[in-house]
């Protein structure tokens, strides 16, 4: 694999935007893998997000957030100029309830893109990827990146936190 | 008594408590009481009340619900989670069923960006079968006729 400069710069910005801001931070999700058209993340179990108080099973809404985040991020990574990709729609099938007190793993992949639309698939599982808790398909719009200053903001926030040169070095090591 | 029998007995007890709490909430016309029984509702800050004989759900703006910090916009997943929660409350509160409904599938159309302000939602049970319930939910901000998202949900009971 050749070194992908756009991804090397975008990877920390995306990780920062998703893990350290708003709902992603509140959920405590961690992006474990960020590549072109592919995202992996993990969510630790949290008592606060229980949907069924009788069983301690997390609410389906959490799975929606995780898959929406993963698919949306995967969609962003296929653009040459990273920008926000508004979600058109999302369909989720719940195969079985998540077991309490266990982390949830999520994988999202872009399987097709056209001039205007990015098609994504996502999977959420705990012990066995072959026996997932949920599967989703989500579609995203490609919009004019000039109208959105997302990457600029993420990079500015990142710069405030750490010296920029240091970040690029570590990215070169992990860059594929 | 084996441990299995004991946990079964405990489940029965919990379910009975759950049903009694729901019955009490209905008696007091307080869907918010049902909402408060689900931890996820407090996590995103969802609330419910009765308006014109229908359940109205709302989600006040909250920094922890932001998805895109640069706009700022409400996280798409939060809107989805809120609508799924509203659909579940609609079933628990308005229909007479014993257990917590299990979601089978969920389909969500995003129509407009959720701006950083209160989101409202209403649900409608389209069909109640013996096993399956179909519910639709619609979310809006300024005007009920310009929804920001609509959802369709199947629950097993």
């Amino acid at each position: 694999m050749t070194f992908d400069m756009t991804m090397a710069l975008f990877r920390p910005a995306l990780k920062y935007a998703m893990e350290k801001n708003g709902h992603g931070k509140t959920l405590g999700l961690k992006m474990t893998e960020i590549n072109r058209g592919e995202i992996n993340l993990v969510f630790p179990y949290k008592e606060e997000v229980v949907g069924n108080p009788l069983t301690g099973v997390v609410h389906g809404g959490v799975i929606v957030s995780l898959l929406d985040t993963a698919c949306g991020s995967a969609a962003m990574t296929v653009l040459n100029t990273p920008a926000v990709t508004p979600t058109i729609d999302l369909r989720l099938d719940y195969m079985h309830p998540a077991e309490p007190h266990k982390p949830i793993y999520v994988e999202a992949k872009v399987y097709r893109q056209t001039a205007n639309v990015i098609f994504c698939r996502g999977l959420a599982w705990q012990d066995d990827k072959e026996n997932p808790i949920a599967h989703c398909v989500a579609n995203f719009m490609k919009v004019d990146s000039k109208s959105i200053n997302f990457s600029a903001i993420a990079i500015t926030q990142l710069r405030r936190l750490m010296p920029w040169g240091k970040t690029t070095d570590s990215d070169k090591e992990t860059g594929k | 008594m084996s441990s299995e029998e004991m946990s079964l007995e405990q489940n029965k007890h919990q379910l009975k408590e759950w049903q009694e709490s729901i019955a009490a909430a209905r008696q007091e016309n307080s869907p918010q009481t049902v909402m408060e029984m689900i931890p996820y509702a407090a996590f995103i800050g969802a609330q419910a009340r009765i308006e014109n004989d229908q359940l109205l759900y709302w989600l006040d703006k909250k920094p922890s619900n932001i998805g895109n910090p640069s706009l700022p916009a409400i996280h798409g997943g939060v809107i989805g989670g809120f609508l799924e929660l509203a659909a579940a409350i609609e079933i628990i509160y308005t229909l007479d069923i014993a257990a917590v409904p299990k979601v089978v599938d969920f389909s969500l159309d995003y129509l407009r960006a959720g701006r950083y302000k209160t989101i409202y939602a209403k649900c409608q049970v389209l069909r109640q079968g013996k096993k399956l319930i179909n519910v639709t939910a619609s979310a809006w901000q300024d005007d009920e006729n310009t929804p920001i998202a609509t959802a369709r949900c199947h629950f097993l009971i």
Side-chain angles (χ1 to χ4, degrees):
Chain A
M1 274 185 264
T2 52
F3 177 70
D4 189 336
M5 192 60 185
T6 313
M7 275 313 292
L9 292 171
F10 185 49
R11 197 173 282 127
L14 184 68
K15 199 170 158 65
Y16 179 81
M18 294 302 162
E19 289 181 3
K20 303 280 184 239
N21 278 291
H23 200 59
K25 181 184 171 190
T26 314
L27 279 172
L29 59 89
K30 290 276 170 283
M31 287 206 161
T32 49
E33 197 105 24
I34 302 169
N35 291 309
R36 285 247 177 206
E38 200 177 325
I39 298 283
N40 278 71
L41 57 86
V42 58
F43 165 73
Y45 180 76
K46 266 193 167 167
E47 301 270 347
E48 299 100 289
V49 298
V50 164
N52 183 338
L54 304 183
T55 56
V57 169
V58 296
H59 192 268
V62 178
I63 316 281
V64 179
S65 288
L66 294 176
L67 282 164
D68 182 63
T69 303
C71 289
S73 303
M76 279 185 232
T77 61
V78 300
L79 303 175
N80 283 321
T81 312
V84 163
T85 46
T87 321
I88 304 172
D89 58 16
L90 181 143
R91 148 123 197 177
L92 245 164
D93 293 335
Y94 294 94
M95 262 69 97
H96 66 87
E99 272 181 63
H101 309 291
K102 274 185 183 175
I104 296 171
Y105 301 94
V106 172
E107 180 190 78
K109 275 183 183 170
V110 173
Y111 65 94
R112 184 87 191 153
Q113 55 166 318
T114 62
N116 294 310
V117 182
I118 302 165
F119 300 87
C120 254
R121 258 195 291 258
L123 205 61
W125 73 95
Q126 287 178 309
D127 295 324
D128 182 9
K129 200 176 166 184
E130 300 298 310
N131 181 20
I133 50 180
H135 173 266
C136 94
V137 283
N139 300 338
F140 300 87
M141 270 311 271
K142 280 185 188 169
V143 290
D144 182 12
S145 62
K146 281 172 198 151
S147 62
I148 297 159
N149 54 355
F150 160 76
S151 52
I153 284 194
I155 290 167
T156 314
Q157 285 179 322
L158 191 74
R159 271 195 190 130
R160 262 184 231 140
L161 270 188
M162 55 183 105
W164 190 237
K166 209 175 159 186
T167 318
T168 336
D169 277 350
S170 66
D171 283 335
K172 273 177 189 160
E173 280 162 30
T174 51
K176 285 170 191 171
Chain B
M1 210 189 268
S2 75
S3 67
E4 206 170 285
E5 279 171 321
M6 262 168 76
S7 79
L8 214 68
E9 202 57 37
Q10 199 189 349
N11 285 352
K12 261 190 207 161
H13 180 70
Q14 281 181 328
L15 191 60
K16 198 166 168 251
E17 263 183 19
W18 166 267
Q19 287 163 341
E20 281 166 4
S21 312
I22 304 238
R26 284 196 196 115
Q27 203 78 47
E28 291 163 18
N29 283 325
S30 167
Q32 180 59 26
T33 309
V34 181
M35 198 63 118
E36 281 162 13
M37 288 158 69
I38 298 175
Y40 181 73
F43 183 73
I44 59 168
Q47 298 177 76
R49 64 164 186 258
I50 296 172
E51 206 180 81
N52 303 327
D53 290 330
Q54 215 186 341
L55 289 175
L56 177 74
Y57 308 89
W58 77 98
L59 189 68
D60 282 330
K61 68 172 183 181
K62 200 173 158 177
S64 63
N65 285 346
I66 292 175
N68 178 349
S70 73
L71 294 175
I74 309 284
H75 196 289
V78 173
I79 300 174
F82 171 55
L83 288 179
E84 194 183 308
L85 178 70
I89 300 286
E90 188 83 14
I91 294 174
I92 296 169
Y93 189 79
T94 61
L95 307 179
D96 202 16
I97 52 159
V100 187
K102 274 187 195 162
V103 58
V104 185
D105 58 38
F106 180 69
S107 176
L108 184 63
D109 292 339
Y110 292 97
L111 308 170
R112 291 170 182 89
R115 280 160 303 128
Y116 191 49
K117 58 202 271 190
T118 307
I119 300 178
Y120 299 92
K122 267 182 190 168
C123 300
Q124 203 184 353
V125 177
L126 296 185
R127 180 177 185 266
Q128 182 189 0
K130 273 181 200 148
K131 279 187 175 169
L132 211 57
I133 298 178
N134 180 303
V135 192
T136 60
S138 170
W140 74 92
Q141 288 185 311
D142 299 322
D143 175 15
E144 195 175 341
N145 297 317
T146 52
I148 58 161
T150 61
R152 198 212 62 207
C153 224
H154 280 114
F155 287 93
L156 267 177
I157 46 165

